[in-house]
Amino acid sequence: MSRRSGILEFAVLGLLREAPMHGYELRKRLNTSLGIFRAFSYGTLYPCLKTLVANGWLIEEPGSAPEDALAASLAGRRAKIVYRLTAEGKEHFEELLSHTGPDAWEDEHFAARFAFFGQTEREVRMRVLEGRRSRLEERLEKMRASLARTRERLDDYTLELQRHGMESVEREVRWLNELIESERAGRDQRRASPDGSAQQDSTSGETGGLPRRGETSGGTASGGAAPPDPSDDTTT
């Protein structure tokens, strides 16, 4: 299984954990909620769904509206199939959510993981955020070294493109710093509570997460922004 198909399977399982959907709904959610899948087509999605069904992680059910099924039958079309997450699929998705290795730090995989942070335990969120920051800091160091070596050989436009790429990575590092600081602040608040109680996150069971819109951390407004687009990164 390729890395890209693995990301798609992860996202499909995550969306179906929220509610059963048919293929069109899934594709729409992948396109609108998870922008990294804008280029995916039905020709990519349906083989993925069939694989997940074959693995026992999804089941196929007929559409729930009888009139829709009847209309489809009269028109000679197949009724829409609804995909539902099985207990095994939920367990598999939760296992995937707990992974914090290097794959979770890469550009596309990190964006998909971040989209489901609301379903992820705090300690896992922290490890993924810190891993992503470490990966970008390594990338930034390499970009700076490359620019220092090649600056004299670059024309003004190529040099400006290099600077733009570095600024994009620097911006994401600052954004990650804000998120990590917010997560730590929530954890410290929970530990400092005299009775051990705190307002709980509805999905992870712990306080913290994104700063509220308009709040600042490290001098920059955050407020639930999407991850900076890693495609802006430019290297030689």
Side-chain angles (χ1 to χ4, degrees):
M1 180 176 64
S2 70
R3 174 179 296 178
R4 195 163 176 78
S5 63
I7 298 170
L8 178 59
E9 290 184 6
F10 172 82
V12 167
L13 292 172
L15 290 175
L16 291 177
R17 189 185 185 191
E18 298 174 2
M21 302 180 202
H22 55 69
Y24 174 79
E25 290 174 312
L26 270 171
R27 185 169 183 263
K28 185 177 180 181
R29 289 290 305 278
L30 287 167
N31 289 343
T32 57
S33 301
L34 303 174
I36 59 173
F37 296 106
R38 289 193 183 98
F40 277 78
S41 65
Y42 286 111
T44 304
L45 176 60
Y46 281 104
C48 171
L49 290 170
K50 294 298 182 184
T51 298
L52 296 175
V53 169
N55 289 339
W57 297 329
L58 302 182
I59 56 173
E60 297 177 331
E61 298 177 338
S64 57
E67 61 272 17
D68 290 347
L70 177 61
S73 176
L74 292 174
R77 302 192 307 270
R78 293 179 57 188
K80 290 181 179 178
I81 295 174
V82 173
Y83 295 90
R84 183 183 299 274
L85 196 65
T86 64
E88 292 80 6
K90 182 178 180 181
E91 181 179 348
H92 178 63
F93 179 68
E94 290 174 350
E95 180 183 347
L96 294 176
L97 277 180
S98 69
H99 291 175
T100 60
D103 280 352
W105 313 338
E106 301 300 337
D107 294 340
E108 288 185 343
H109 206 156
F110 173 74
R113 286 298 302 271
F114 189 83
F116 294 100
F117 260 24
Q119 303 180 41
T120 305
E121 293 294 331
R122 176 191 304 283
E123 294 303 320
V124 175
R125 294 197 303 259
M126 284 289 292
R127 288 196 293 271
V128 173
L129 290 172
E130 289 172 343
R132 173 65 175 173
R133 181 176 62 181
S134 175
R135 178 57 50 85
L136 289 183
E137 287 173 341
E138 292 174 1
R139 183 183 301 176
L140 190 58
E141 183 177 349
K142 291 178 181 178
M143 294 173 75
R144 286 169 175 161
S146 175
L147 184 60
R149 290 195 306 270
T150 60
R151 181 186 299 272
E152 299 302 324
R153 301 196 302 270
L154 300 177
D155 61 58
D156 291 343
Y157 295 102
T158 303
L159 185 60
E160 193 60 31
L161 188 62
Q162 292 284 322
R163 288 172 176 163
H164 173 69
M166 288 177 55
E167 289 171 0
S168 175
V169 179
E170 289 169 344
R171 183 169 61 251
E172 184 170 350
V173 170
R174 290 194 298 270
W175 176 74
L176 289 166
N177 286 335
E178 294 171 6
L179 295 178
I180 292 169
E181 181 180 334
S182 178
E183 293 284 354
R184 286 176 176 164
R187 181 177 59 189
D188 293 343
Q189 176 186 350
R190 191 166 190 267
R191 287 176 176 174
S193 178
D195 58 359
S197 63
Q199 183 181 358
Q200 291 190 332
D201 184 305
S202 60
T203 53
S204 68
E206 296 188 45
T207 318
L210 292 172
R212 294 180 181 176
R213 186 170 298 277
E215 291 181 354
T216 59
S217 175
T220 306
S222 178
D229 186 352
S231 64
D232 285 343
D233 302 346
T234 309
T235 58
T236 55

